[in-house]
Amino acid sequence: MEHRVRAKELLNRVTSPQEAASLVEDGMSLGIGTGDSIACPKTFFTALAQQAKGRLRVKLFTGGPVPHEVDGLMVEADAYERRFGQFSNAWLRDAANERRFPLLDTRTGTLPHQVRDGRFGRIDIALIEAAAITEAGYIVPTTSLLDAPSYAVLAEKVIVEINPQVPPEIEGIHDVYIPEVAPHRKPIPLEKPGDRIGTPYIPVNPERIAAIIESSLPDNPPPRAATDQNSQKIAHHLLEFFSNEVKRGRLPPNLLPLQFGVGAIPDAFAAELAKSSFTDIEFFTGTFGDGGLDLIDAGKAKALSTASLYLSQEGFQRLYRDLPRYKRYIVIRPVVLADCPELVARVGLIAMNSGIEVDIYGHVNSTHIQGSRIVSGIGGSCDFMWNAFLSVVLLSSTARRGAISCIVPMVTHVDHPEHAVDVIVTEQGLADLRGLAPVERARTIIANCAHPDYKPLLSQYLEEAINSRGGHEPHMLEKAFSFHLRFAETGSMKP
Amino acid sequence: MEHRVRAKELLNRVTSPQEAASLVEDGMSLGIGTGDSIACPKTFFTALAQQAKGRLRVKLFTGGPVPHEVDGLMVEADAYERRFGQFSNAWLRDAANERRFPLLDTRTGTLPHQVRDGRFGRIDIALIEAAAITEAGYIVPTTSLLDAPSYAVLAEKVIVEINPQVPPEIEGIHDVYIPEVAPHRKPIPLEKPGDRIGTPYIPVNPERIAAIIESSLPDNPPPRAATDQNSQKIAHHLLEFFSNEVKRGRLPPNLLPLQFGVGAIPDAFAAELAKSSFTDIEFFTGTFGDGGLDLIDAGKAKALSTASLYLSQEGFQRLYRDLPRYKRYIVIRPVVLADCPELVARVGLIAMNSGIEVDIYGHVNSTHIQGSRIVSGIGGSCDFMWNAFLSVVLLSSTARRGAISCIVPMVTHVDHPEHAVDVIVTEQGLADLRGLAPVERARTIIANCAHPDYKPLLSQYLEEAINSRGGHEPHMLEKAFSFHLRFAETGSMKP
């Protein structure tokens, strides 16, 4: 710890996870920014969950994918009074769907601003995983920033969990800049994804660092997502589209800064991109996976701006082995910048996000199954999609081995309305919706994106709605959810 | 015209409306920014519609409320090949619902950027209503800017319609600044609603001014919207809420910059505000009505930033009588700034927008009746609501003398998802949704905002959905539109 805690006067704050956890009182608000297993103060939360059981409940605020060591254990300990922000853990998801405590799914880029404006009360303790504390007492985070800086500067107390598994050479990868609260906000002086406008540490008043603990749990990143044929087809359609846009002079030769998530489709897209003739590509995204490293290694990436890294075990090893080189390309930022509408619009983002289902008019459901069950949070997708130069939605045309059509007459929950969507891509093809009126969009989506098994059903719905109901965006309300109701009844959307 | 066209070398471009209209060819794209009857090149379009009938069709791009002299006559002449952007005219609305030509409802703040990036092809002619042309040949618009500057700098040719009914003293009210296209965009150097960062004219290369005509049609602004009891109650709830937020230290004493539209509710709100103890209020809005002048006269307004003025006949007379004084408060900007997410977030907007219906979870339909028939465009509301410090939706709890509940189980069209809405106000009361999970929101909206006639029905739906379906946001898809289907069948949502 002496090597990691370089502010010697803070060494007396080094304590056990149990001691640190005992600072938490019933009803407190805690803030964390995590990047799943790595970049999460998991040793602290393991201790807290043990102490909390039957004794206290907290409000937790977070903008990242929270690992089982936090959400799983805290849910098991019944230790959430209220949970704000992003999630990825299955136990948390089930608890939210059973409404065992209120889950407030919030936009990742907005939550820290809202916390700062006081609408949710104060933050009592911020928990930060760190690689080091500098001589001046500032915090050098690990492989994610997300909303950690916002909570760290706001919280009454800060607890730092030093993770010795992350090499100290991570220092310098971060760029911490937190915009002022309105109405005192200034223009954010970032123009290109690779720009650095802040500090390489979180500038917390060291007096507020209440405890420092050492991480004793192994980092446990996920395996690399396996690719599949549908993802490859989607990636192929997309690359072809971009090439054509460049040929038509509607995109620059090196494209525009790209945003995508993690998983099979983004990885397949990164693989296609690595093989393509595009170079000097910039990324301005909330997170990225191993595909990002692939693109650096392939000499394709000019700069990758992100709020967190979501790498596989193998990916982190690659990163750590060659940190000085990767640091020349990667900038880790607070999520209030990564997901910031001002910056998304300024850099001219090409946003690529997934969905559970899209409807014939282009509305997207990315969070709720059958309109009711939440499966993932909204994240930063809405801020990317509304403000992008080009907003692309990527999904397979079917799910559950064809029993579900992901193109439906009407989505059962709208996260991204028609006005936030330019292009839809499935393995069947690509629908460029720009400049099309609703019925034109519907015909294009059905023709290009729907699975052949469902095309006749979708066309039938559309034409019947046009003829029987009419209007600018014709719908038959009594049949709008017929696909979903059939699935609920028979286990398949097919008649 | 000699007084108005101060660039003497341009006087030879002065011509008749018929001559000017003959510059338009079949298939051309025209761009206008209008503020309804005033600020619209209506003499030009009256001539064009006459010439167009059976001879040519055009694409029209606009971000403003277009008067009958444009949309009505052009629809009658069957002269639209395709129509992009905002609308307010009933003939246009009916034509769109009959799909007589494709209407692309677009976000007002985004359309000019999209036109500039080339996705819709080039703009052939921009039509600008002007008060004058300066010595250098630049255009001084009248009472609106909206997207006019974007099209003027982009179009191959510009046709200027001088409106002698607008006093030349309007000059100086405008602040024309057009952000660069991504990826060359810079931070927009505007920090406060009253800031001036551009030029008081549209800087068009005078060589591209192809024709100058004189407006010969009378300006015909609408009568001032009558107030009503519901609007007054809504305004009262809202003021009470703001006062409490100030008391709790969550809003500054002079509030934050306000955005609202035009109509009975905004006028009632302005009247309440004029009587309140708030002072130094700033406005950052897309348009404003007579209420804005009332607030200046009441000494309440510090600055009003807008993309257009939507005043009554009496309002315009007031403005014209006292232009030098009003110009100290009013700044008219391009809509790409007025609706700009970057600026909305920076100034910390309190956005107040209307809706046709909201559902129990807070999703808002502001455009389509029964999911199908468009009644108004999306405008800038989504950009205001997503990026505001506080996003408020204002509507009556019922319509059609109680036969329609504007609070429904599920809206039939989503323009503004739950994540873009903080507060809902009806004449029944106010629902502060901040920090609430979906089912908590539903109970609050039903309790505070729904009409007593519909509360039991809504509660019954909610509780049945919770018990029979469960989930994070419980819905029964087979009953989600039961209110709407009952109305379609019986003429009332009541059973």
Side-chain angles (χ1 to χ4, degrees):
Chain A
M1 290 289 266
E2 280 77 7
H3 292 293
R4 300 283 187 151
V5 183
R6 302 190 322 243
K8 294 308 159 206
E9 70 279 16
L10 290 180
L11 279 170
N12 61 4
R13 319 270 166 94
V14 175
T15 183
S16 70
Q18 289 70 26
E19 279 295 320
S22 71
L23 293 172
V24 177
E25 294 168 22
D26 188 42
M28 275 189 168
S29 290
L30 313 184
I32 56 171
T34 88
D36 202 50
S37 169
I38 299 191
C40 174
K42 50 192 175 298
T43 303
F44 172 86
F45 273 95
T46 304
L48 177 62
Q50 272 174 4
Q51 293 183 17
K53 211 166 202 161
R55 204 179 62 80
L56 63 82
R57 289 205 181 92
V58 297
K59 302 184 202 70
L60 184 76
F61 296 79
T62 183
V66 179
H68 190 76
E69 292 89 337
V70 178
D71 272 340
L73 301 185
M74 291 291 280
V75 164
E76 196 188 22
D78 192 17
Y80 283 145
E81 178 189 316
R82 202 165 268 268
R83 172 74 167 72
F84 292 76
Q86 191 65 324
F87 67 91
S88 55
N89 178 258
W91 292 27
L92 191 282
R93 188 185 61 216
D94 291 345
N97 281 314
E98 291 161 14
R99 297 180 314 287
R100 285 160 54 190
F101 48 83
L103 169 74
L104 277 89
D105 179 32
T106 53
R107 296 151 66 194
T108 44
T110 305
L111 180 63
H113 290 310
Q114 295 185 331
V115 169
R116 277 185 85 186
D117 80 33
R119 67 181 70 187
F120 303 133
R122 69 173 186 192
I123 295 288
D124 297 291
I125 304 179
L127 296 312
I128 315 286
E129 189 190 88
I133 295 178
T134 69
E135 289 74 6
Y138 298 147
I139 300 168
V140 178
T142 57
T143 56
S144 153
L145 272 174
L146 285 162
D147 32 8
S150 298
Y151 303 140
V153 300
L154 203 65
E156 197 128 313
K157 293 176 182 165
V158 177
I159 296 176
V160 178
E161 178 168 330
I162 301 282
N163 186 348
Q165 297 163 90
V166 178
E169 292 75 25
I170 197 80
E171 191 168 345
I173 205 169
H174 310 94
D175 185 45
V176 179
Y177 174 100
I178 306 175
E180 282 300 310
V181 168
H184 308 294
R185 199 176 293 175
K186 304 281 175 203
I188 300 171
L190 184 147
E191 294 182 14
K192 299 286 170 198
D195 286 356
R196 289 185 172 272
I197 61 172
T199 56
Y201 46 75
I202 303 176
V204 168
N205 179 346
E207 285 174 21
R208 290 196 289 108
I209 297 182
I212 302 170
I213 65 171
E214 184 166 357
S215 192
S216 61
L217 290 172
D219 292 334
N220 187 24
R224 183 163 185 165
T227 188
D228 59 84
Q229 229 182 2
N230 272 5
S231 300
Q232 287 166 354
K233 284 183 187 165
I234 290 169
H236 179 76
H237 295 314
L238 200 51
L239 254 288
E240 196 176 69
F241 170 74
F242 288 153
S243 300
N244 281 331
E245 288 293 297
V246 172
K247 269 186 213 137
R248 298 175 65 179
R250 304 205 298 196
L251 279 179
N254 68 334
L255 303 177
L256 284 166
L258 302 175
Q259 173 265 326
F260 50 59
V262 290
I265 299 177
D267 264 13
F269 176 71
E272 279 281 321
L273 210 50
K275 288 185 293 182
S276 75
S277 61
F278 293 111
T279 56
D280 279 333
I281 307 167
E282 294 173 301
F283 298 83
F284 192 81
T285 186
T287 186
F288 70 81
D290 290 22
L293 301 186
D294 296 346
L295 285 161
I296 294 176
D297 291 347
K300 296 294 187 186
K302 183 174 173 190
L304 290 100
S305 167
T306 186
S308 71
L309 303 180
Y310 193 83
L311 305 178
S312 69
Q313 185 82 50
E314 185 267 332
F316 275 113
Q317 282 165 4
R318 245 163 103 192
L319 176 78
Y320 293 164
R321 268 198 308 270
D322 215 357
L323 256 173
R325 182 169 65 88
Y326 286 118
K327 272 160 64 181
R328 289 206 299 272
Y329 299 94
I330 300 173
V331 185
I332 301 180
R333 303 186 189 284
V335 74
V336 287
L337 292 200
D339 294 8
C340 177
E342 171 175 345
L343 303 183
V344 168
R346 187 176 303 148
V347 303
L349 200 68
I350 298 177
M352 293 174 278
N353 289 279
S354 61
I356 295 171
E357 57 180 8
V358 303
D359 70 27
I360 54 174
Y361 296 115
H363 304 266
V364 180
N365 173 9
S366 65
T367 57
H368 286 72
I369 283 185
Q370 291 267 337
S372 302
R373 273 189 71 82
I374 194 166
V375 289
S376 67
I378 185 89
S381 53
C382 44
D383 291 306
F384 293 129
M385 292 174 68
W386 277 106
N387 298 290
F389 179 88
L390 201 63
S391 169
V392 183
V393 177
L394 311 167
L395 78 173
S396 286
S397 71
T398 60
R400 296 243 188 138
R401 299 176 175 274
I404 289 176
S405 174
C406 301
I407 318 289
V408 293
M410 182 187 266
V411 290
T412 56
H413 181 95
V414 176
D415 294 292
H416 311 296
E418 52 190 344
H419 297 292
V421 179
D422 293 315
V423 173
I424 294 174
V425 194
T426 70
E427 83 288 353
Q428 299 294 321
L430 182 145
D432 182 357
L433 308 177
R434 294 174 298 173
L436 300 186
V439 167
E440 297 174 319
R441 288 203 299 264
R443 297 217 164 101
T444 307
I445 292 171
I446 295 171
N448 296 8
C449 297
H451 191 278
D453 287 356
Y454 289 100
K455 276 185 192 183
L457 288 169
L458 290 163
S459 292
Q460 192 187 327
Y461 176 86
L462 174 65
E463 300 307 327
E464 197 184 331
I466 290 172
N467 294 325
S468 71
R469 244 39 73 85
H472 182 240
E473 195 159 312
H475 264 306
M476 300 178 289
L477 296 182
E478 75 284 10
K479 294 185 182 176
F481 297 140
S482 53
F483 281 40
H484 302 87
L485 291 168
R486 200 181 300 128
F487 177 81
E489 213 172 291
T490 69
S492 172
M493 287 189 176
K494 287 178 195 160
Chain B
M1 290 289 267
E2 280 76 8
H3 292 292
R4 300 282 187 152
V5 183
R6 303 190 322 244
K8 295 308 159 207
E9 69 278 17
L10 291 181
L11 279 170
N12 61 5
R13 320 270 166 94
V14 175
T15 182
S16 69
Q18 289 69 26
E19 279 294 321
S22 71
L23 294 172
V24 177
E25 294 168 21
D26 188 42
M28 275 190 169
S29 290
L30 312 184
I32 56 170
T34 88
D36 202 50
S37 170
I38 299 192
C40 175
K42 50 193 175 297
T43 303
F44 172 86
F45 273 95
T46 304
L48 177 62
Q50 272 173 4
Q51 294 183 15
K53 212 166 201 161
R55 204 179 63 81
L56 63 82
R57 289 206 182 91
V58 297
K59 301 183 202 73
L60 184 76
F61 296 79
T62 183
V66 179
H68 190 76
E69 292 89 338
V70 178
D71 272 340
L73 300 185
M74 291 292 279
V75 164
E76 196 188 22
D78 191 18
Y80 283 145
E81 178 189 315
R82 202 165 269 267
R83 171 74 166 71
F84 292 76
Q86 191 65 324
F87 66 92
S88 56
N89 178 257
W91 292 28
L92 191 282
R93 188 184 61 217
D94 291 345
N97 281 314
E98 291 160 14
R99 297 181 313 287
R100 285 161 54 190
F101 48 83
L103 169 74
L104 277 89
D105 180 32
T106 53
R107 296 150 66 194
T108 43
T110 305
L111 179 62
H113 291 309
Q114 295 185 331
V115 169
R116 276 185 86 185
D117 80 34
R119 66 181 70 187
F120 303 133
R122 68 172 186 193
I123 295 287
D124 297 291
I125 304 180
L127 295 312
I128 316 286
E129 189 190 89
I133 295 178
T134 69
E135 288 74 5
Y138 299 147
I139 300 167
V140 178
T142 57
T143 57
S144 153
L145 272 174
L146 286 162
D147 32 8
S150 298
Y151 303 140
V153 300
L154 203 64
E156 197 128 314
K157 293 177 181 164
V158 177
I159 296 175
V160 178
E161 178 167 330
I162 301 282
N163 186 348
Q165 298 163 89
V166 178
E169 292 76 24
I170 197 80
E171 191 168 344
I173 205 169
H174 310 94
D175 185 45
V176 179
Y177 174 101
I178 306 174
E180 281 300 310
V181 168
H184 308 294
R185 199 176 294 175
K186 305 282 176 203
I188 300 170
L190 184 147
E191 294 183 13
K192 300 285 170 198
D195 286 356
R196 289 185 173 273
I197 60 172
T199 56
Y201 47 75
I202 303 176
V204 167
N205 179 346
E207 285 174 20
R208 290 196 288 106
I209 297 182
I212 302 170
I213 65 170
E214 183 165 358
S215 191
S216 61
L217 291 173
D219 291 334
N220 187 23
R224 183 163 186 165
T227 188
D228 60 84
Q229 229 182 3
N230 271 6
S231 300
Q232 287 167 354
K233 283 183 187 165
I234 290 169
H236 179 76
H237 295 314
L238 199 51
L239 254 288
E240 195 176 69
F241 170 74
F242 288 152
S243 301
N244 282 330
E245 287 293 296
V246 172
K247 271 187 210 134
R248 297 175 66 180
R250 304 204 297 196
L251 280 179
N254 68 335
L255 303 176
L256 284 167
L258 302 175
Q259 173 265 326
F260 50 59
V262 290
I265 298 177
D267 264 13
F269 176 71
E272 279 282 321
L273 210 51
K275 288 185 294 182
S276 75
S277 61
F278 293 111
T279 56
D280 279 334
I281 307 167
E282 293 173 302
F283 298 82
F284 192 81
T285 186
T287 185
F288 70 81
D290 290 21
L293 301 186
D294 296 345
L295 285 162
I296 294 175
D297 291 347
K300 296 295 186 185
K302 183 175 172 188
L304 290 100
S305 168
T306 186
S308 71
L309 304 180
Y310 193 83
L311 305 178
S312 69
Q313 185 83 48
E314 185 267 331
F316 275 114
Q317 282 165 3
R318 246 163 103 192
L319 175 78
Y320 293 163
R321 268 199 307 271
D322 215 357
L323 256 174
R325 182 169 64 89
Y326 285 118
K327 272 161 64 181
R328 289 206 299 271
Y329 299 93
I330 300 173
V331 185
I332 301 180
R333 303 184 189 287
V335 74
V336 287
L337 292 200
D339 294 8
C340 176
E342 171 175 345
L343 302 183
V344 168
R346 187 176 302 149
V347 303
L349 200 68
I350 298 177
M352 292 174 279
N353 289 279
S354 61
I356 295 171
E357 57 180 8
V358 303
D359 69 27
I360 54 174
Y361 296 115
H363 304 266
V364 180
N365 173 9
S366 65
T367 56
H368 285 72
I369 283 186
Q370 291 267 338
S372 301
R373 272 189 72 82
I374 194 165
V375 289
S376 67
I378 185 91
S381 53
C382 44
D383 291 307
F384 293 129
M385 292 174 68
W386 277 106
N387 299 290
F389 179 88
L390 201 63
S391 169
V392 183
V393 176
L394 311 167
L395 77 173
S396 286
S397 71
T398 60
R400 296 244 187 135
R401 299 177 176 272
I404 289 176
S405 174
C406 301
I407 318 288
V408 293
M410 182 187 265
V411 289
T412 56
H413 181 94
V414 176
D415 294 291
H416 311 296
E418 52 189 346
H419 297 292
V421 179
D422 293 316
V423 172
I424 294 173
V425 194
T426 70
E427 82 288 353
Q428 299 295 321
L430 181 145
D432 181 357
L433 308 177
R434 294 173 298 173
L436 301 186
V439 168
E440 297 173 320
R441 289 203 298 265
R443 297 217 163 100
T444 307
I445 292 170
I446 295 171
N448 296 8
C449 297
H451 191 278
D453 288 355
Y454 289 100
K455 276 186 194 185
L457 288 169
L458 291 163
S459 292
Q460 192 187 327
Y461 176 86
L462 174 65
E463 300 307 327
E464 198 184 330
I466 290 173
N467 294 325
S468 70
R469 245 38 73 86
H472 182 241
E473 195 159 311
H475 264 306
M476 300 178 290
L477 297 182
E478 75 284 10
K479 294 185 182 176
F481 297 141
S482 53
F483 281 40
H484 302 87
L485 291 169
R486 199 181 300 128
F487 176 81
E489 212 172 293
T490 70
S492 172
M493 287 189 177
K494 288 179 194 159

